[in-house]
Amino acid sequence: MSCPQCFTGHANPGTPTGCWDTVYGLRTYVAKPANGKEALGVIVIIPDAFGVDFVNNQILADHYASAAQFLVYLPDFMNGTAAPVRTMINMAHMWDETGSWISKPYYIFAAMFDFLPFMYRNRFGVSWPRVTKFLKELREDKRTALPVGIAGFCWGGLHAIKLTHSNADTRTTDGRPLADAVFTAHPSNADVAQDFGNIQGNLSMAIGDDDGVMGIKQVREAQEVLRGKTNVESEVIVYPGAKHGFSIRASRAIPDSKETKQAEEAEKQAVTWFQRQFEAVKHK
């Protein structure tokens, strides 16, 4: 189940430069390396609740593609049922303590009108098969022999973490893992014992110490679990003062603001992680 913080934040300025295509049966935003350069790896983004049509997610895909010569797929794992951007506006009015109490009931109703259907239509049991089907087709596509990385945010974060587990869902028919590297930022609904406890693949996580979904106590517990996994490479970078959703939905209106810099640092964390993990795959 998602929480209200998963539906708050800002739509940021910028114009996406990628294109749309149907990839393994899903409508997909595709970002390619600049100037026709050869891709060095494939990144699949499992987005936040606002999905593939949210401009922030598309621009992030563009950044990954240009920063490190990645081919980036942002598939519609929500099958057209992502939360509309207006939900952020309604949530902002809901929590605005300076606003009129007369209008509060309207904004509560409007937010729940979008919030509740999203949770039902995109519950894990529905979305997980779409994610694994896409990745299995990608992995088994003989035209694509590149390493595969997963970047999961908020709603998509739990999917990313579970892709580090080792079971029939997370492997191809010949036993290969669906992902060579996994990055997640401020995941939602992750259980430390169950989800972090079963991690068997390398994982990088970006999280704020003021995250209202995964609190700092839970973060420390997850770090302790990961430290005990000697066969797994992991990193958990805690961003001081950052809130849930900061790497995607923090305002970037002021270029030198703390919010902007932390979002950019989380981008660099992901890119550096993928580069290092992909290099290791080459030498296996």
Side-chain angles (χ1 to χ4, degrees):
M1 178 174 181
S2 297
C3 80
Q5 278 200 14
C6 298
F7 298 84
T8 57
H10 303 267
N12 283 305
T15 302
T17 58
C19 62
W20 291 96
D21 200 354
T22 299
V23 181
Y24 307 119
L26 293 181
R27 177 172 168 264
T28 302
Y29 180 82
V30 181
K32 300 177 180 179
N35 303 317
K37 292 180 179 178
E38 184 179 354
L40 302 178
V42 179
I43 306 299
V44 179
I45 295 178
I46 311 177
D48 66 357
F50 297 101
V52 298
D53 291 305
F54 186 35
V55 67
N56 296 22
N57 289 325
Q58 295 172 15
I59 291 173
L60 179 67
D62 295 339
H63 288 179
Y64 282 176
S66 62
Q69 286 183 238
F70 294 145
L71 170 62
V72 185
Y73 291 141
L74 172 59
D76 186 7
F77 292 125
M78 300 171 189
N79 198 27
T81 63
V85 174
R86 66 171 179 261
T87 312
M88 280 194 288
I89 300 169
N90 292 329
M91 284 287 186
H93 284 294
M94 257 181 62
W95 299 110
D96 183 7
E97 296 180 358
T98 65
S100 169
W101 282 99
I102 296 174
S103 61
K104 290 285 183 183
Y106 166 79
Y107 289 116
I108 292 171
F109 174 80
M112 292 303 103
F113 183 80
D114 294 325
F115 177 75
L116 296 176
F118 169 84
M119 290 194 300
Y120 176 75
R121 292 167 180 160
N122 296 289
R123 59 197 185 277
F124 189 81
V126 172
S127 57
W128 179 245
R130 292 182 191 142
V131 171
T132 55
K133 179 178 181 293
F134 182 95
L135 292 173
K136 285 179 181 179
E137 291 190 30
L138 170 62
R139 272 301 215 188
E140 294 173 355
D141 188 341
K142 291 183 170 31
R143 298 168 298 174
T144 306
L146 295 170
V148 175
I150 304 297
F153 302 86
C154 300
W155 175 85
L158 178 60
H159 300 74
I161 292 169
K162 284 187 177 292
L163 284 165
T164 67
H165 297 182
S166 181
N167 53 53
D169 281 354
T170 63
R171 293 191 172 271
T172 62
T173 52
D174 60 1
R176 290 175 297 147
L178 297 183
D180 296 301
V182 175
F183 167 82
T184 184
H186 33 79
S188 300
N189 308 321
D191 178 82
V192 171
Q194 180 65 29
D195 299 317
F196 285 89
N198 285 309
I199 285 174
Q200 294 189 38
N202 297 344
L203 176 74
S204 173
M205 182 167 73
I207 190 85
D209 65 4
D210 193 22
D211 192 302
V213 178
M214 186 175 185
I216 193 63
K217 181 176 181 289
Q218 193 179 13
V219 171
R220 299 304 183 206
E221 291 171 352
Q223 287 178 303
E224 190 63 29
V225 168
L226 291 171
R227 275 193 289 268
K229 293 181 175 291
T230 56
N231 62 327
V232 170
E233 183 181 353
S234 65
E235 63 177 17
V236 177
I237 309 298
V238 179
Y239 290 79
K243 299 183 182 299
H244 188 72
F246 80 94
S247 73
I248 295 289
R249 301 188 302 275
S251 174
R252 298 198 187 194
I254 303 173
D256 292 329
S257 70
K258 182 179 179 181
E259 278 190 311
T260 298
K261 288 181 177 177
Q262 288 184 326
E264 290 173 347
E265 287 168 10
E267 277 186 27
K268 291 176 184 174
Q269 177 186 338
V271 168
T272 300
W273 177 256
F274 289 132
Q275 288 175 317
R276 188 165 78 245
Q277 297 300 316
F278 289 174
E279 189 62 29
V281 168
K282 290 181 185 177
H283 294 94
K284 281 185 178 179

